[in-house]
Amino acid sequence: MNSFSIITQTIVFVIPSLILLYQYIFFKLGYNRIDAINVNPKDLPLLSIIVPTKGERPELIQGLLDNLAEVDWNKSRMEVIIVSDDSPEYFEEMKEKIVPPQGLEVRMYRREKKLGFKSGALAYGFEKSRGDLILTLDVDARVRKDSIKKAYFHMLQFGCDAVTMKWIGYSHNGYSLLAKGIMVSTIIADNSILRGRDRANLKVFPVGCGTLFKKSAIEEVGPWDYNMIQDDLEIGARLINHGKRICSSDSIVFVEVPDNLLAFYIQQTRWAMGSIEVLTRRFKQIITSKANILQKIDALLFLLQYVPIALTFIAALLISVYSFLDKGDPLNSIPLFTLWAIALGIYAYNFIKVARDSGIKLIEALRSLGKISAYAVSISPFITLSIFSALKKSRNYIITPKGKAGKTKIVYIILAFGLLFLFASINYLLHQEFISGLWLLYYSLAYIFTFSSYKQEIK
């Protein structure tokens, strides 16, 4: 076995298998976890809810305000701070159309000096806040009546400086298999990277929508850094550095998920860029934190979560070129291929089980799994570019569009890669080099399926 085969087999089979099994362990820890809250203080502190917005429909913001007016919290102890990065004309239009619910204090600000992106808006809202508690929400978020109070009680009982809420995805597009797939993936991710890792005594990072902070903790580490894209991971790294405890809870926040390729592509490439940005710019804070060595290693691995996707794409390119050099089957390892297939099978079984528990029918769950898997693979080239873009001094922040599917030229790039991988797989199979041929066939079909499925989205 040559060095090229060892490297590609490690990237294609070993690393993904270990990641899936690692996440599955945490999922089981989180999924079976039950939070018993035994505190119930009579007095609630002043709560400031910061909501960044740009280009959002006034009706969407109104919906959030109406939702917050129903939460179980003393309204005299709550303020909602809306921070707009819109034009002066649109900001005035929003103020005219939005009607604050009776009894709910709502303050709207427009940032004239737009430093940074969402992080800058959160920092601006923090400066305007008066609360002892800070909750960050997106305009499309919705909470249950007891969500905020449960998160606060969790904070009190477990001595947390910040508490993440449990993400439950929703979509207005009841026909989107992608949205349903992301909803299930969101449940799996929340139970593994938040609740499971918290239960394993590893360091949890805040989430951008639905994290309740002690104001004193933010004051100690400093507010959000407007130079950074990934607001939640960035401030999380500094909280970890200062020995602050970030907990996860079963308090629910509903978040709208992408329902089309363009929205999914924008969201995932931004998250990929943001995680590497935080890894490179906050590496020292994590390494020098008060966490133990296992917690530090896990935190770094968490920030590297998009790198295996990029490595697999690069390996697929190299394996495709290798097929035309007629030098054999680089992935020819039945044990590693079997390990990879078993790991995928475990994930698929878990996905279907969670989907069924969420009320999704079996056939629909299978189709949702296929679609989310294909879309995740097909945007690998752009994930790879985003990882490298994170190293640049200047980076762009694009808000995830929700709703109607938009047209995008990335599908032609996706198709081109799909055809390349397909031709390479056929070449391997013709030479009876079955493992590389079958793996590339599996990989190529994700790209081709995405191109075909996208055409249906925009009709």
Side-chain angles (χ1 to χ4, degrees):
M1 183 182 298
N2 58 36
S3 58
F4 180 74
S5 293
I6 294 173
I7 292 171
T8 52
Q9 288 175 22
T10 301
I11 292 173
V12 169
F13 294 144
V14 178
I15 293 177
S17 299
L18 293 178
I19 290 173
L20 289 173
L21 294 173
Y22 189 65
Q23 291 179 344
Y24 181 71
I25 292 171
F26 289 133
F27 170 82
K28 295 299 290 184
L29 287 173
Y31 202 64
N32 296 326
R33 171 180 151 188
I34 299 175
D35 292 336
I37 305 299
N38 300 314
V39 297
N40 190 9
K42 293 182 180 179
D43 298 323
L44 297 174
L46 179 59
L47 169 68
S48 296
I49 302 174
I50 304 176
V51 183
T53 179
K54 182 178 181 182
E56 302 288 0
R57 293 177 290 107
E59 296 81 7
L60 192 61
I61 302 173
Q62 184 71 55
L64 174 60
L65 296 179
D66 293 341
N67 173 247
L68 292 175
E70 298 298 321
V71 302
D72 188 8
W73 198 277
N74 185 343
K75 298 305 180 294
S76 66
R77 306 291 294 162
M78 176 192 291
E79 62 176 7
V80 181
I81 300 170
I82 297 174
V83 182
S84 168
D85 279 344
D86 296 294
S87 66
E89 296 77 17
Y90 192 70
F91 181 64
E92 291 302 319
E93 180 183 338
M94 283 198 306
K95 287 202 299 183
E96 290 178 3
K97 291 184 176 180
I98 293 173
V99 180
Q102 185 174 2
L104 182 64
E105 181 182 357
V106 179
R107 291 187 281 135
M108 298 182 64
Y109 298 94
R110 176 182 171 271
R111 287 201 303 159
E112 294 186 1
K113 189 175 182 181
K114 298 178 179 61
L115 296 174
F117 312 103
K118 181 183 177 183
S119 297
L122 289 172
Y124 183 93
F126 181 75
E127 291 177 1
K128 301 295 184 182
S129 67
R130 302 191 301 261
D132 302 303
L133 298 174
I134 305 294
L135 174 63
T136 59
L137 288 177
D138 293 340
V139 294
D140 54 30
R142 300 293 183 266
V143 294
R144 287 182 174 171
K145 187 175 182 179
D146 64 347
S147 290
I148 301 176
K149 184 176 282 188
K150 283 183 66 176
Y152 175 57
F153 290 173
H154 191 106
M155 175 181 283
L156 290 180
Q157 178 159 328
F158 296 99
C160 314
D161 297 288
V163 175
T164 66
M165 300 169 75
K166 183 177 181 179
W167 277 27
I168 300 293
Y170 77 89
S171 175
H172 297 292
N173 185 348
Y175 298 98
S176 173
L177 291 173
L178 175 64
K180 291 176 181 177
I182 297 176
M183 289 178 201
V184 176
S185 298
T186 298
I187 295 173
I188 294 174
D190 183 274
N191 281 284
S192 59
I193 67 176
L194 294 177
R195 293 168 59 77
R197 291 173 68 246
D198 188 14
R199 187 174 180 183
N201 195 33
L202 297 173
K203 294 299 181 181
V204 173
F205 284 85
V207 291
C209 173
T211 298
L212 184 69
F213 298 89
K214 285 183 180 178
K215 187 173 187 177
S216 58
I218 299 178
E219 289 175 333
E220 184 174 336
V221 305
W224 291 265
D225 185 347
Y226 67 83
N227 291 303
M228 304 281 280
I229 286 178
Q230 204 69 17
D231 53 280
D232 47 2
L233 301 183
E234 183 279 319
I235 198 169
R238 289 187 285 120
L239 287 168
I240 291 171
N241 176 260
H242 282 71
K244 301 302 180 184
R245 185 175 182 192
I246 307 167
C247 306
S248 72
S249 73
D250 60 1
S251 175
I252 288 176
V253 58
F254 297 96
V255 293
E256 187 174 6
V257 300
D259 63 2
N260 60 81
L261 175 63
L262 178 60
F264 181 67
Y265 151 76
I266 290 174
Q267 181 195 72
Q268 293 298 310
T269 51
R270 187 182 72 240
W271 286 359
M273 181 189 299
S275 63
I276 297 301
E277 173 195 57
V278 172
L279 175 68
T280 55
R281 289 165 174 78
R282 295 290 181 261
F283 181 82
K284 182 178 179 181
Q285 281 86 343
I286 294 173
I287 292 298
T288 60
S289 70
K290 299 176 183 178
N292 63 46
I293 186 64
L294 290 178
Q295 291 170 332
K296 291 176 183 178
I297 292 173
D298 177 78
L300 295 176
L301 289 175
F302 175 79
L303 295 174
L304 285 166
Q305 61 186 289
Y306 283 93
V307 171
I309 298 173
L311 289 177
T312 300
F313 168 70
I314 294 170
L317 284 178
L318 295 175
I319 293 169
S320 297
V321 173
Y322 202 80
S323 73
F324 299 105
L325 300 179
D326 197 23
K327 291 188 176 182
D329 187 345
L331 298 182
N332 188 23
S333 173
I334 294 177
L336 293 181
F337 180 84
T338 303
L339 172 66
W340 172 75
I342 291 172
L344 283 184
I346 291 173
Y347 180 83
Y349 171 81
N350 194 43
F351 183 99
I352 299 301
K353 183 179 184 302
V354 173
R356 299 285 286 136
D357 290 344
S358 302
I360 300 176
K361 295 180 180 179
L362 178 60
I363 299 301
E364 201 170 34
L366 288 168
R367 294 178 65 200
S368 299
L369 172 60
K371 190 151 191 173
I372 181 64
S373 299
Y375 275 38
V377 168
S378 68
I379 63 170
S380 297
F382 312 104
I383 294 289
T384 306
L385 289 176
S386 295
I387 287 173
F388 286 107
S389 297
L391 306 177
K392 298 193 303 183
K393 185 176 181 180
S394 176
R395 300 169 304 285
N396 294 323
Y397 185 102
I398 304 176
I399 298 172
T400 304
K402 306 288 175 65
K404 185 178 179 181
K407 292 185 177 181
T408 173
K409 295 180 180 179
I410 67 168
V411 291
Y412 300 108
I413 299 174
I414 289 172
L415 177 62
F417 280 120
L419 293 174
L420 169 65
F421 298 141
L422 178 61
F423 292 147
S425 73
I426 293 172
N427 192 43
Y428 274 121
L429 293 172
L430 289 174
H431 287 81
Q432 298 185 1
E433 294 159 347
F434 294 111
I435 295 185
S436 290
L438 289 173
W439 182 83
L440 270 179
L441 179 63
Y442 150 85
Y443 196 72
S444 67
L445 290 179
Y447 289 79
I448 295 170
F449 171 82
T450 299
F451 178 80
S452 174
S453 182
Y454 165 79
K455 294 296 184 181
Q456 299 298 318
E457 282 183 359
I458 61 175
K459 282 186 178 180

